[in-house]
Amino acid sequence: LKPASSLPPSPRARARAAGPMEPTAKEARTEMPIGRKYNASLQQCMLRIKDPAVSVPFYEKNFGMKLIHRYDFPEFKFSLYFLEKTRDGQPLPDDIPSAASEKYLWTMPGCVLELTHNHGTENDENFKVWSGNQGKDLPTGSPLYMDGPNRGFGHIAFNMDDVEATSEALEKNGVKFQKRPNEGRMKGIAFALDPDGYWIELVPREKGLFKEPFNFSQVMMRVKDGPKTVEFYRDVMGMSLVREMVIPNDFTNFFLMNLSEKERGAAAEDQAQMPKRLWQPALELTFNHGTEKDDEFQVHTGNTDPQGFGHIGFIVDDLKAMCEELDKAGVPFFKRPDEGKMRGLAFVLDPSGYRVELIQRGMSIDPALLGKTAYRRPRLRARLQPELQRPWRGR
């Protein structure tokens, strides 16, 4: 880290010095968004991890998530673990991985946490992921200031009825905290830390709606230009802007969700409560005022050093047709559906450069890419659970 005295003011500091700045999102366009035409739905948030033998049980034990599918790619030396916060009594495949669990993953209506493990990192004492919350865009006196990239990804979140009681229970179970409910300016919310240091926001929800203790409720990303990014996710991808929280001369949080036709017709004040009422997660875009006017400012997406967060993903009805329309609309691609060995998926880039995966609903991975691990071992879930209770090596 460089000493504070030798560094220029942060973009946020420059924005504050420039005076009032409260940009807001424009009204939605009237034509049907491309994403809504193809039933695009937020389906995943991908995070790189150090050790699945630690991270998978952490989310299962502390937040009630379930491992619903797993891929191992021996040629590329990485594995993927898909975790869902399911409803109580929800039918799930018995065998993980299996053709049934793969079908469930790519047809389910919910949203998963995708944990990516690059083989060998669990044995590397120096390996660390970047949580997205340290960066040079913070004031130099901040404990999270880092001379490197600007911040990017912020956190995932779970909603619950009682944040304080849940925080106490998690802390007794050994979970570390970045912020407890009674600390800081924002009372009543907390930030726990997962084994890799990713932030997990604990958010109060409207009580009495769910019997389950938690629901997976947010994915937060910082963006360079808030209104422009809202237009992408709303007017192109088909999400609905349900809430806009403005802190004058500082930042704005935009909350977007995939809503049913009935939910889209609800009054604005009812939509504003949906992040705390609905089961599915919201995409929270945090926009620090002034960064959109700074030509040198760029959020760090987590896909170059330092690495951490990888992407969000949407599942769609017709990948090829949707990508053709996105291409005509000028949306930039990182990977088209017919490129590379992984078919049935594509990556576009949002206005901040974040990768947005598009997955064909009902797809399946070519078994040749999975090597000898391709769905040949029966009852893997039964054997995986005790295995995850002790150190092991991802394969």
Side-chain angles (χ1 to χ4, degrees):
L1 302 182
K2 292 183 180 179
S5 59
S6 66
L7 295 163
S10 70
R12 293 181 71 179
R14 294 198 297 270
R16 291 192 187 99
M21 191 177 299
E22 300 173 28
T24 57
K26 297 178 181 178
E27 292 295 321
R29 295 200 296 254
T30 55
E31 64 267 25
M32 179 180 286
I34 296 172
R36 193 171 299 166
K37 180 177 178 180
Y38 295 100
N39 197 24
S41 178
L42 182 64
Q43 197 259 359
Q44 60 179 248
C45 169
M46 189 278 261
L47 303 176
R48 296 176 178 89
I49 59 170
K50 178 182 175 74
D51 190 345
V54 176
S55 295
V56 172
F58 172 87
Y59 284 102
E60 290 181 324
K61 174 184 176 182
N62 294 298
F63 295 99
M65 303 193 86
K66 294 183 183 297
L67 181 68
I68 61 167
H69 191 59
R70 166 181 171 175
Y71 285 122
D72 296 307
F73 298 95
E75 178 183 354
F76 306 114
K77 296 182 173 57
F78 73 92
S79 297
L80 306 177
Y81 300 80
F82 297 90
L83 295 148
E84 181 189 10
K85 180 64 193 83
T86 60
R87 303 300 301 268
D88 289 351
Q90 182 175 324
L92 294 170
D94 291 326
D95 300 333
I96 309 293
S98 65
S101 66
E102 183 180 44
K103 180 179 179 181
Y104 174 85
L105 171 65
W106 300 127
T107 57
M108 58 173 281
C111 187
V112 297
L113 186 61
E114 177 187 351
L115 303 180
T116 295
H117 170 231
N118 292 304
H119 300 169
T121 57
E122 72 278 16
N123 297 319
D124 185 349
E125 294 181 356
N126 297 318
F127 179 84
K128 292 182 179 179
V129 300
W130 178 65
S131 75
N133 291 301
Q134 303 84 25
K136 65 181 180 182
D137 55 318
L138 285 164
T140 54
S142 168
L144 295 172
Y145 176 84
M146 180 177 76
D147 184 16
N150 296 312
R151 293 173 299 164
F153 170 77
H155 60 260
I156 60 171
F158 290 89
N159 285 359
M160 61 212 63
D161 289 350
D162 190 330
V163 172
E164 187 169 350
T166 300
S167 298
E168 291 176 0
L170 290 172
E171 198 155 21
K172 286 181 181 179
N173 285 337
V175 176
K176 297 179 180 179
F177 275 74
Q178 179 69 29
K179 175 196 174 303
R180 294 173 180 81
N182 59 350
E183 295 175 339
R185 293 181 298 172
M186 293 188 289
K187 309 296 183 182
I189 64 169
F191 284 92
L193 298 173
D194 89 344
D196 287 289
Y198 290 113
W199 293 18
I200 304 170
E201 187 177 8
L202 309 182
V203 183
R205 68 187 177 194
E206 190 169 312
K207 294 183 179 180
L209 294 177
F210 306 110
K211 60 181 179 179
E212 295 86 355
F214 304 98
N215 63 288
F216 183 28
S217 62
Q218 286 179 25
V219 176
M220 188 278 259
M221 307 186 303
R222 297 174 182 89
V223 299
K224 175 183 174 71
D225 187 327
K228 186 177 181 180
T229 309
V230 167
E231 290 176 19
F232 171 79
Y233 286 105
R234 181 191 60 195
D235 300 339
V236 177
M237 293 304 300
M239 303 187 83
S240 296
L241 178 63
V242 297
R243 186 182 177 208
E244 186 172 340
M245 186 183 77
V246 181
I247 306 299
N249 304 319
D250 199 352
F251 68 92
T252 299
N253 286 337
F254 300 97
F255 295 84
L256 297 105
M257 303 185 78
N258 289 116
L259 302 181
S260 67
E261 185 176 353
K262 180 179 179 181
E263 290 164 344
R264 291 196 297 271
E269 56 268 26
D270 290 328
Q271 287 193 6
Q273 298 303 314
M274 286 181 179
K276 294 187 178 183
R277 288 178 178 170
L278 299 183
W279 182 261
Q280 72 265 29
L283 178 61
E284 178 185 355
L285 304 177
T286 294
F287 164 47
N288 293 309
H289 302 163
T291 56
E292 80 283 9
K293 296 182 178 181
D294 187 343
D295 293 338
E296 297 180 359
F297 182 87
Q298 176 61 51
V299 298
H300 187 65
T301 67
N303 287 306
T304 56
D305 288 336
Q307 290 189 323
F309 168 78
H311 60 260
I312 59 172
F314 290 78
I315 194 166
V316 306
D317 285 347
D318 190 332
L319 177 68
K320 181 180 178 182
M322 181 172 172
C323 287
E324 288 175 353
E325 291 203 36
L326 291 172
D327 211 2
K328 290 178 182 177
V331 175
F333 277 77
F334 179 77
K335 175 197 176 301
R336 288 178 167 78
D338 57 352
E339 295 175 340
K341 293 186 176 182
M342 296 272 194
R343 302 304 171 95
L345 57 86
F347 284 91
V348 296
L349 301 175
D350 82 357
S352 291
Y354 288 113
R355 296 179 189 176
V356 179
E357 187 174 17
L358 306 176
I359 309 111
Q360 173 65 51
R361 190 171 270 109
M363 72 161 286
S364 61
I365 294 290
D366 182 355
L369 297 177
L370 304 175
K372 296 180 180 180
T373 65
Y375 313 150
R376 295 177 184 173
R377 291 172 288 180
R379 306 295 299 175
L380 184 57
R381 172 179 284 278
R383 301 215 311 270
L384 181 59
Q385 296 306 322
E387 188 179 21
L388 284 170
Q389 302 308 312
R390 62 179 184 271
W392 63 286
R393 299 295 170 250
R395 294 182 285 273

